Amino acid sequence: MTTDISTRREDGVVVVTPVGEMDAVTSPALADVLEVVLQEVPVGVVVDLAKVAFCDSRCIGVLVAAYRHARDQGLGLVVAEPQQQVNRLFVIAGIDQVIPILPSTGAAVGSFQDQGGTED
């Protein structure tokens, strides 16, 4: 079982997009990518879960650890577009009360621009 994880930048926000199943075997790769991304001190990090069909407790642990690491650095980390099954797990586990979960990657990226605010 393997997963692909891509990253891209949108207006200073790093979007991390894993594809496949995130479990005990594949979640360490996500942890590694998030660690590297957070060292870059981006405006914020969006974890786009639209292409993740399965997520277990190890994946949740990775996301919570990355969220805390980001918060400790004064950065934001949000999750975007989890599939229904993954979102349900987040709600059951209470992760939606800890990590912001947004309905689309565009909205997630935009949320960081909104936070920065511009003075008119």
Side-chain angles (χ1 to χ4, degrees), residues 1-3 9 12 33 35 41 43-44 69 72 102 105 111:
M1 198 177 323
T2 62
T3 188
R9 282 191 176 267
V33 169
E35 182 178 335
V41 192
V43 171
H69 184 102
D72 291 348
L102 298 171
T105 301
S111 73

Side-chain angles (χ1 to χ4, degrees), residues 17-94:
T17 307
V19 177
E21 296 185 356
M22 298 307 302
D23 56 21
V25 174
T26 57
S27 290
L30 178 60
D32 292 345
V33 169
L34 289 170
E35 182 178 335
V36 169
V37 164
L38 288 170
Q39 289 175 359
E40 297 172 4
V41 192
V43 171
V45 178
V46 174
V47 182
D48 176 1
L49 296 180
K51 297 178 181 176
V52 173
F54 175 80
C55 176
D56 71 3
S57 60
R58 178 68 189 256
C59 175
I60 288 174
V62 165
L63 292 172
V64 170
Y67 174 79
R68 288 181 177 154
H69 184 102
R71 181 195 62 205
D72 291 348
Q73 287 185 264
L75 303 173
L77 183 143
V78 301
V79 169
E81 293 189 60
Q83 291 187 22
Q84 184 177 5
Q85 186 175 8
V86 172
N87 192 57
R88 184 169 180 233
L89 174 63
F90 286 175
V91 171
I92 290 169

